[in-house]
Amino acid sequence: MESSILSPKSIAIVGVSQDSEKISSVILKNLINGGYNGKIYPVNPKYEELQGRKAYPDILAIPEDVDMVCIAIPYQFVEDVVDQCVEKKVKSVVIISAGFGEVGPEGAELEERITTKLKRENIRLIGPNCLGFINNKAKINLTFARENPGEGKIAFISQSGAFCTAILDMACEKRLGFSHVVSIGNKADIHENELMEMFVADNDIKAIALYLE
């Protein structure tokens, strides 16, 4: 697994709106406030600007190349966006949305179909049904967590998004930082073994913690 997957130079976030409470809007806010210096593209056909950034109607309308697409919309619309990601030839996708293998056979079928499309084009996937990820070394907070405890020498991988947010809240209280926090959700593609290999090879990381179900 290439470490660049957790260090994209450009990120599109699908589903951002003017509702500041929406998950996708919180993700955009966290990314901007965290100090990310790459290119950010909010995607929603209803708006021309969101949180001070030019908004685009869809992935294909973005004129530049896009490294990563973060999808936080209802599950029934996710496959259409994945098709756009394939056409756009993005490098990786993070699917925050729930409603896949964790809910039953129909969701599992959708998850398999989406995963197959992405794997066929060598596009890596984090999720679906996840919190997203934090890479404090690259100032990337692509999650909807309320707080980020900041940089440290611990990498944390969690299958549960809820447990992930609980750990982040506790870490803020204890002033315990992380190099990376990755919520893998249903781990349809990227899973803990790949991430562990990457983190073990990073000399700045002194400990790796995991929560698996």
Side-chain angles (χ1 to χ4, degrees):
M1 174 182 174
E2 294 181 19
S3 59
S4 60
I5 291 170
L6 297 182
S7 304
K9 303 300 183 191
S10 56
I11 302 173
I13 304 174
V14 181
V16 184
S17 77
Q18 289 181 340
D19 181 352
S20 61
E21 299 299 313
K22 275 202 166 184
I23 284 175
S24 46
S25 300
V26 175
I27 292 171
L28 176 58
K29 181 183 176 184
N30 283 346
L31 189 61
I32 293 171
N33 290 351
Y36 176 64
N37 59 11
K39 294 182 177 178
I40 303 173
Y41 307 103
V43 176
N44 189 322
K46 296 178 182 176
Y47 307 100
E48 293 187 1
E49 183 181 296
L50 288 159
Q51 296 187 35
R53 308 278 170 147
K54 176 177 169 55
Y56 295 85
D58 55 43
I59 296 300
L60 298 175
I62 300 170
E64 296 90 2
D65 291 338
V66 178
D67 278 358
M68 174 174 282
V69 175
C70 178
I71 304 173
I73 55 176
Y75 72 92
Q76 59 266 40
F77 304 115
V78 170
E79 189 170 9
D80 286 342
V81 177
V82 166
D83 289 339
Q84 292 175 29
C85 291
V86 168
E87 189 173 343
K88 185 71 174 174
K89 293 181 168 56
V90 308
K91 293 178 182 176
S92 57
V93 173
V94 179
I95 301 179
I96 305 291
S97 315
F100 295 91
E102 79 281 2
V103 299
E106 196 173 315
E109 185 180 323
L110 176 60
E111 182 177 313
E112 177 64 27
R113 199 161 63 240
I114 285 171
T115 306
T116 299
K117 287 181 177 182
L118 293 172
K119 282 184 176 177
R120 193 183 296 139
E121 301 298 325
N122 293 315
I123 299 171
R124 302 310 307 270
L125 168 64
I126 297 175
N129 182 35
C130 71
L131 182 75
F133 75 91
I134 295 171
N135 177 356
N136 279 321
K137 295 172 73 174
K139 297 188 183 304
I140 298 173
N141 181 358
L142 199 69
T143 74
F144 55 96
R146 288 177 299 174
E147 291 187 90
N148 176 8
E151 192 168 353
K153 295 185 179 295
I154 302 168
F156 177 50
I157 304 164
S158 177
Q159 197 170 349
S160 163
F163 191 83
C164 209
T165 55
I167 289 293
L168 287 171
D169 288 344
M170 288 169 61
C172 287
E173 289 177 13
K174 302 287 186 183
R175 296 184 180 179
L176 184 69
F178 294 96
S179 62
H180 301 77
V181 177
V182 187
S183 167
I184 53 178
N186 294 3
K187 51 182 184 178
D189 176 21
I190 291 172
H191 51 81
E192 66 277 4
N193 292 352
E194 272 191 284
L195 292 167
M196 284 177 68
E197 285 180 14
M198 187 182 80
F199 294 149
V200 164
D202 189 330
N203 292 329
D204 291 331
I205 295 173
K206 303 304 180 187
I208 303 170
L210 299 95
Y211 175 80
L212 302 175
E213 295 176 346

